[in-house]
């Protein structure tokens, strides 16, 4: 992972702020205070201000932040001011649910390829299931930026290799296994049980 | 959220270490170095040692950590040394996939109740879908510790209220909305697009 000035936890919070800003816009609001953002995200107002200071966003004292401007600045930092082309491999229960995950498209991630080793030709929304063996060929046309892996652990490294070979620059891996990818390809592992474990930690403290 | 000495990011890493320790045990290993854990999780060896120092785990210099012992100590901290009883509400694509998510049971989270407003009586593994209106009654018998919400955003607060009333102590919320829960109930929001946004951030740095 390369050096970057903004810590990963800040990026996670920026992502959460950005969601809250969208909701405020939907309600017709134009200005929001750091306290308002704090309330809606469960982060302290001080932390909100510190996070925005990373990119020189200070708002107007006693008034707050212009929501449209703030949202635009955050999306420029996170990189969601552009459209990323996403391919998903593995259409089991979880993979199938991710194809139509509503949060993706609205946040700049467009699903443009879905792959598996079975049910080839089956339709998900506007997309047809393609065989993983055709990934590289289809990638030439579809120019995938980002790949999501939702296959069994034994198959995950093979899929990652094909993605890397096909020019995918970032991989979100749901398989419970550490993958090898070359420098220059970003990898993020998601383990949903981690979230339960964090809750488990807090519940244990209470007991 | 209550005060606790161990930062949340450390808990997240402990969760990742614990997964790696399980894998090492599966391979028949008995001892692991902080460097070994570091390699397998993408965390620096220094950070691994710092994280373990939170609970006074120092290993043996030049030898490493006893895996079984380390795993046990981590699970005591995270609270996965006991069994948590989990109820899930909302059996759409994502919710349905979580019922059988393999990582949950193996890490101490037992799914004991599944609820929706439709498809009542349908079977998922050993469980039958119950109506959300019966949640409180069933909770008396099943004693849910932890609730997972995977319903549309408009329905999420109502479900959270029922869970709280029924004695659920922690909620994992997948609905894209901030929920109000009383002090003493832990809440964790999961937004899967956040992971893509973190990748998006790193991809933007590369361009």
């Amino acid at each position: 992972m390369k050096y970057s000035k903004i810590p990963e936890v800040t990026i996670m919070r920026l992502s959460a702020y950005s969601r809250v800003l969208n909701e405020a816009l939907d309600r017709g609001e134009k200005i929001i205070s750091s306290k308002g953002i704090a309330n809606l995200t469960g982060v302290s107002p001080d932390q909100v201000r510190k996070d925005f200071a990373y990119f020189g966003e200070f708002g107007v004292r006693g008034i707050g932040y212009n929501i449209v401007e703030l949202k635009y600045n955050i999306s420029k930092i996170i990189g969601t001011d552009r459209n990323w082309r996403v391919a998903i491999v593995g259409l089991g229960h979880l993979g199938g649910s991710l194809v139509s995950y509503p949060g993706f498209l609205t946040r700049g991630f467009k699903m443009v390829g879905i792959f598996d080793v079975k049910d080839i030709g089956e339709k998900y929304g506007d997309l047809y299931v393609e065989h993983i063996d055709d990934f590289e060929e289809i990638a030439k046309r579809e120019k995938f930026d980002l790949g999501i892996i939702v296959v069994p652990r034994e198959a995950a490294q093979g899929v990652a290799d094909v993605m890397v070979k096909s020019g995918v620059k970032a991989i979100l891996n749901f398989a419970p296994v550490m993958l090898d990818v070359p420098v220059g390809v970003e990898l993020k592992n998601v383990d949903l049980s981690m979230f339960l474990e964090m809750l488990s930690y807090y519940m244990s403290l209470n007991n």
Side-chain angles (χ1 to χ4, degrees), chain A residues 73-108:
Chain A
N73 285 335
I74 291 179
S75 74
K76 264 207 314 193
I77 290 174
I78 310 188
T80 46
D81 57 334
R82 62 190 94 179
N83 279 306
W84 299 106
R85 301 176 66 78
V86 182
I88 189 162
V89 179
L91 298 166
H93 280 119
L94 182 57
S97 76
L98 293 176
V99 175
S100 55
Y101 190 69
F104 288 165
L105 186 57
T106 59
R107 302 177 78 70

Short mmCIF file of all heavy atoms in Angstrom, two decimals, chain A residues 73-108:
data_model
loop_
_atom_site.label_atom_id
_atom_site.label_comp_id
_atom_site.label_asym_id
_atom_site.label_seq_id
_atom_site.Cartn_x
_atom_site.Cartn_y
_atom_site.Cartn_z
N ASN A 73 -16.08 18.67 -3.04
CA ASN A 73 -14.69 18.55 -2.61
C ASN A 73 -14.37 17.16 -2.05
O ASN A 73 -13.31 16.60 -2.31
CB ASN A 73 -14.36 19.61 -1.56
CG ASN A 73 -14.21 20.99 -2.22
OD1 ASN A 73 -13.89 21.06 -3.41
ND2 ASN A 73 -14.44 22.05 -1.47
N ILE A 74 -15.32 16.61 -1.30
CA ILE A 74 -15.11 15.25 -0.78
C ILE A 74 -15.04 14.25 -1.93
O ILE A 74 -14.17 13.38 -1.97
CB ILE A 74 -16.22 14.86 0.22
CG1 ILE A 74 -16.10 15.69 1.50
CG2 ILE A 74 -16.15 13.36 0.55
CD1 ILE A 74 -17.17 15.38 2.54
N SER A 75 -15.93 14.38 -2.90
CA SER A 75 -15.97 13.40 -3.99
C SER A 75 -14.69 13.50 -4.83
O SER A 75 -14.21 12.50 -5.35
CB SER A 75 -17.22 13.56 -4.85
OG SER A 75 -17.11 14.70 -5.67
N LYS A 76 -14.12 14.70 -4.94
CA LYS A 76 -12.85 14.84 -5.65
C LYS A 76 -11.75 14.09 -4.93
O LYS A 76 -10.88 13.47 -5.54
CB LYS A 76 -12.46 16.33 -5.78
CG LYS A 76 -12.87 16.91 -7.11
CD LYS A 76 -11.99 18.08 -7.52
CE LYS A 76 -11.77 19.06 -6.37
NZ LYS A 76 -11.19 20.34 -6.84
N ILE A 77 -11.76 14.17 -3.59
CA ILE A 77 -10.74 13.48 -2.81
C ILE A 77 -10.91 11.97 -2.89
O ILE A 77 -9.97 11.22 -3.15
CB ILE A 77 -10.80 13.91 -1.33
CG1 ILE A 77 -10.33 15.35 -1.23
CG2 ILE A 77 -9.95 12.99 -0.46
CD1 ILE A 77 -10.50 15.92 0.14
N ILE A 78 -12.14 11.51 -2.67
CA ILE A 78 -12.38 10.07 -2.69
C ILE A 78 -12.27 9.52 -4.11
O ILE A 78 -12.05 8.33 -4.30
CB ILE A 78 -13.78 9.73 -2.11
CG1 ILE A 78 -14.02 10.40 -0.75
CG2 ILE A 78 -13.93 8.22 -1.96
CD1 ILE A 78 -15.29 9.93 -0.06
N GLY A 79 -12.45 10.40 -5.09
CA GLY A 79 -12.36 9.92 -6.46
C GLY A 79 -13.70 9.50 -7.03
O GLY A 79 -13.77 8.86 -8.07
N THR A 80 -14.77 9.85 -6.34
CA THR A 80 -16.10 9.47 -6.84
C THR A 80 -16.71 10.58 -7.71
O THR A 80 -17.89 10.57 -7.99
CB THR A 80 -17.06 9.14 -5.69
OG1 THR A 80 -16.94 10.13 -4.68
CG2 THR A 80 -16.72 7.78 -5.09
N ASP A 81 -15.86 11.54 -8.11
CA ASP A 81 -16.34 12.56 -9.06
C ASP A 81 -16.27 12.02 -10.48
O ASP A 81 -16.65 12.68 -11.42
CB ASP A 81 -15.51 13.85 -8.92
CG ASP A 81 -14.02 13.61 -9.13
OD1 ASP A 81 -13.55 12.47 -8.89
OD2 ASP A 81 -13.32 14.55 -9.52
N ARG A 82 -15.72 10.82 -10.64
CA ARG A 82 -15.69 10.19 -11.96
C ARG A 82 -16.47 8.87 -11.89
O ARG A 82 -16.96 8.49 -10.84
CB ARG A 82 -14.26 9.95 -12.40
CG ARG A 82 -13.52 9.01 -11.47
CD ARG A 82 -12.05 8.98 -11.79
NE ARG A 82 -11.33 9.93 -10.96
CZ ARG A 82 -10.01 10.12 -11.01
NH1 ARG A 82 -9.29 9.47 -11.89
NH2 ARG A 82 -9.41 10.99 -10.21
N ASN A 83 -16.59 8.18 -13.02
CA ASN A 83 -17.27 6.89 -13.02
C ASN A 83 -16.27 5.75 -13.10
O ASN A 83 -15.40 5.75 -13.96
CB ASN A 83 -18.26 6.81 -14.18
CG ASN A 83 -19.55 7.52 -13.83
OD1 ASN A 83 -20.16 7.24 -12.81
ND2 ASN A 83 -19.94 8.48 -14.65
N TRP A 84 -16.39 4.80 -12.20
CA TRP A 84 -15.53 3.63 -12.21
C TRP A 84 -16.32 2.46 -12.78
O TRP A 84 -17.49 2.27 -12.45
CB TRP A 84 -15.08 3.29 -10.79
CG TRP A 84 -14.29 4.38 -10.14
CD1 TRP A 84 -14.72 5.22 -9.16
CD2 TRP A 84 -12.94 4.77 -10.41
NE1 TRP A 84 -13.73 6.10 -8.79
CE2 TRP A 84 -12.61 5.84 -9.54
CE3 TRP A 84 -11.94 4.31 -11.29
CZ2 TRP A 84 -11.37 6.47 -9.54
CZ3 TRP A 84 -10.70 4.94 -11.29
CH2 TRP A 84 -10.42 6.00 -10.42
N ARG A 85 -15.66 1.68 -13.61
CA ARG A 85 -16.30 0.53 -14.25
C ARG A 85 -15.96 -0.74 -13.47
O ARG A 85 -14.80 -1.07 -13.28
CB ARG A 85 -15.85 0.42 -15.71
CG ARG A 85 -16.22 1.69 -16.50
CD ARG A 85 -15.72 1.67 -17.93
NE ARG A 85 -16.37 0.65 -18.73
CZ ARG A 85 -17.59 0.74 -19.24
NH1 ARG A 85 -18.31 1.84 -19.01
NH2 ARG A 85 -18.10 -0.22 -19.95
N VAL A 86 -17.01 -1.42 -13.02
CA VAL A 86 -16.84 -2.52 -12.08
C VAL A 86 -17.22 -3.86 -12.70
O VAL A 86 -18.24 -3.96 -13.39
CB VAL A 86 -17.72 -2.29 -10.83
CG1 VAL A 86 -17.51 -3.40 -9.81
CG2 VAL A 86 -17.43 -0.92 -10.21
N ALA A 87 -16.39 -4.88 -12.43
CA ALA A 87 -16.73 -6.26 -12.81
C ALA A 87 -16.82 -7.08 -11.54
O ALA A 87 -16.02 -6.91 -10.62
CB ALA A 87 -15.65 -6.84 -13.71
N ILE A 88 -17.80 -7.94 -11.48
CA ILE A 88 -17.94 -8.81 -10.31
C ILE A 88 -17.80 -10.25 -10.76
O ILE A 88 -18.32 -10.65 -11.80
CB ILE A 88 -19.28 -8.51 -9.60
CG1 ILE A 88 -19.35 -9.23 -8.27
CG2 ILE A 88 -20.48 -8.89 -10.44
CD1 ILE A 88 -20.43 -8.62 -7.38
N VAL A 89 -17.06 -11.03 -10.00
CA VAL A 89 -16.90 -12.45 -10.31
C VAL A 89 -17.42 -13.28 -9.13
O VAL A 89 -16.95 -13.13 -8.00
CB VAL A 89 -15.43 -12.81 -10.59
CG1 VAL A 89 -15.30 -14.30 -10.90
CG2 VAL A 89 -14.88 -11.98 -11.75
N GLY A 90 -18.39 -14.13 -9.42
CA GLY A 90 -18.99 -14.97 -8.38
C GLY A 90 -20.39 -14.49 -8.07
O GLY A 90 -20.59 -13.48 -7.42
N LEU A 91 -21.40 -15.22 -8.57
CA LEU A 91 -22.77 -14.75 -8.44
C LEU A 91 -23.59 -15.67 -7.54
O LEU A 91 -24.73 -16.00 -7.83
CB LEU A 91 -23.40 -14.60 -9.82
CG LEU A 91 -22.66 -13.56 -10.69
CD1 LEU A 91 -23.06 -13.68 -12.14
CD2 LEU A 91 -22.92 -12.16 -10.16
N GLY A 92 -22.98 -16.09 -6.44
CA GLY A 92 -23.74 -16.79 -5.42
C GLY A 92 -24.67 -15.79 -4.72
O GLY A 92 -24.94 -14.72 -5.25
N HIS A 93 -25.13 -16.16 -3.53
CA HIS A 93 -26.06 -15.28 -2.81
C HIS A 93 -25.50 -13.88 -2.64
O HIS A 93 -26.11 -12.89 -3.02
CB HIS A 93 -26.36 -15.86 -1.43
CG HIS A 93 -27.37 -16.95 -1.47
ND1 HIS A 93 -27.10 -18.23 -1.06
CD2 HIS A 93 -28.65 -16.94 -1.89
CE1 HIS A 93 -28.18 -18.97 -1.22
NE2 HIS A 93 -29.14 -18.22 -1.72
N LEU A 94 -24.32 -13.81 -2.04
CA LEU A 94 -23.75 -12.49 -1.73
C LEU A 94 -23.40 -11.75 -3.02
O LEU A 94 -23.77 -10.59 -3.20
CB LEU A 94 -22.52 -12.67 -0.84
CG LEU A 94 -21.84 -11.38 -0.38
CD1 LEU A 94 -22.81 -10.47 0.35
CD2 LEU A 94 -20.64 -11.69 0.51
N GLY A 95 -22.71 -12.43 -3.94
CA GLY A 95 -22.33 -11.81 -5.20
C GLY A 95 -23.54 -11.30 -5.96
O GLY A 95 -23.56 -10.17 -6.44
N GLY A 96 -24.57 -12.13 -6.02
CA GLY A 96 -25.80 -11.74 -6.72
C GLY A 96 -26.42 -10.50 -6.10
O GLY A 96 -26.93 -9.62 -6.80
N SER A 97 -26.34 -10.40 -4.77
CA SER A 97 -26.94 -9.24 -4.12
C SER A 97 -26.11 -7.98 -4.39
O SER A 97 -26.64 -6.87 -4.41
CB SER A 97 -27.08 -9.48 -2.61
OG SER A 97 -25.84 -9.36 -1.96
N LEU A 98 -24.82 -8.14 -4.61
CA LEU A 98 -23.97 -6.97 -4.86
C LEU A 98 -24.20 -6.37 -6.25
O LEU A 98 -24.04 -5.17 -6.45
CB LEU A 98 -22.49 -7.34 -4.70
CG LEU A 98 -22.06 -7.71 -3.28
CD1 LEU A 98 -20.60 -8.16 -3.27
CD2 LEU A 98 -22.25 -6.54 -2.32
N VAL A 99 -24.59 -7.22 -7.21
CA VAL A 99 -24.81 -6.72 -8.58
C VAL A 99 -25.81 -5.57 -8.56
O VAL A 99 -25.65 -4.57 -9.26
CB VAL A 99 -25.33 -7.85 -9.51
CG1 VAL A 99 -25.67 -7.29 -10.88
CG2 VAL A 99 -24.30 -8.96 -9.63
N SER A 100 -26.83 -5.71 -7.72
CA SER A 100 -27.87 -4.68 -7.71
C SER A 100 -27.83 -3.83 -6.44
O SER A 100 -28.81 -3.21 -6.07
CB SER A 100 -29.24 -5.35 -7.84
OG SER A 100 -29.38 -6.32 -6.82
N TYR A 101 -26.68 -3.85 -5.75
CA TYR A 101 -26.58 -3.07 -4.52
C TYR A 101 -26.81 -1.59 -4.84
O TYR A 101 -26.05 -0.99 -5.62
CB TYR A 101 -25.19 -3.26 -3.91
CG TYR A 101 -25.02 -2.70 -2.52
CD1 TYR A 101 -25.68 -3.27 -1.45
CD2 TYR A 101 -24.21 -1.61 -2.30
CE1 TYR A 101 -25.52 -2.77 -0.16
CE2 TYR A 101 -24.03 -1.10 -1.02
CZ TYR A 101 -24.69 -1.68 0.04
OH TYR A 101 -24.53 -1.17 1.30
N PRO A 102 -27.86 -0.99 -4.27
CA PRO A 102 -28.26 0.34 -4.73
C PRO A 102 -27.20 1.41 -4.48
O PRO A 102 -27.10 2.38 -5.21
CB PRO A 102 -29.55 0.62 -3.95
CG PRO A 102 -29.57 -0.35 -2.82
CD PRO A 102 -28.71 -1.50 -3.20
N GLY A 103 -26.40 1.23 -3.44
CA GLY A 103 -25.41 2.25 -3.11
C GLY A 103 -24.30 2.40 -4.14
O GLY A 103 -23.63 3.44 -4.20
N PHE A 104 -24.07 1.38 -4.96
CA PHE A 104 -22.91 1.43 -5.85
C PHE A 104 -23.09 2.46 -6.97
O PHE A 104 -22.28 3.37 -7.12
CB PHE A 104 -22.61 0.05 -6.43
CG PHE A 104 -22.03 -0.93 -5.45
CD1 PHE A 104 -22.00 -2.29 -5.74
CD2 PHE A 104 -21.51 -0.50 -4.23
CE1 PHE A 104 -21.44 -3.20 -4.84
CE2 PHE A 104 -20.96 -1.40 -3.32
CZ PHE A 104 -20.94 -2.75 -3.63
N LEU A 105 -24.15 2.28 -7.75
CA LEU A 105 -24.32 3.13 -8.93
C LEU A 105 -24.44 4.60 -8.55
O LEU A 105 -23.81 5.47 -9.16
CB LEU A 105 -25.54 2.69 -9.75
CG LEU A 105 -25.70 3.44 -11.08
CD1 LEU A 105 -24.46 3.29 -11.95
CD2 LEU A 105 -26.92 2.93 -11.84
N THR A 106 -25.22 4.89 -7.51
CA THR A 106 -25.41 6.28 -7.12
C THR A 106 -24.11 6.93 -6.64
O THR A 106 -24.03 8.13 -6.54
CB THR A 106 -26.45 6.40 -5.98
OG1 THR A 106 -25.99 5.63 -4.86
CG2 THR A 106 -27.81 5.88 -6.41
N ARG A 107 -23.12 6.13 -6.34
CA ARG A 107 -21.87 6.69 -5.85
C ARG A 107 -20.73 6.54 -6.85
O ARG A 107 -19.56 6.60 -6.50
CB ARG A 107 -21.52 6.09 -4.48
CG ARG A 107 -22.65 6.34 -3.47
CD ARG A 107 -22.41 5.72 -2.14
NE ARG A 107 -21.47 6.49 -1.36
CZ ARG A 107 -21.73 7.67 -0.83
NH1 ARG A 107 -22.90 8.24 -1.02
NH2 ARG A 107 -20.83 8.29 -0.13
N GLY A 108 -21.09 6.36 -8.10
CA GLY A 108 -20.07 6.41 -9.15
C GLY A 108 -19.50 5.07 -9.58
O GLY A 108 -18.52 5.03 -10.32
#
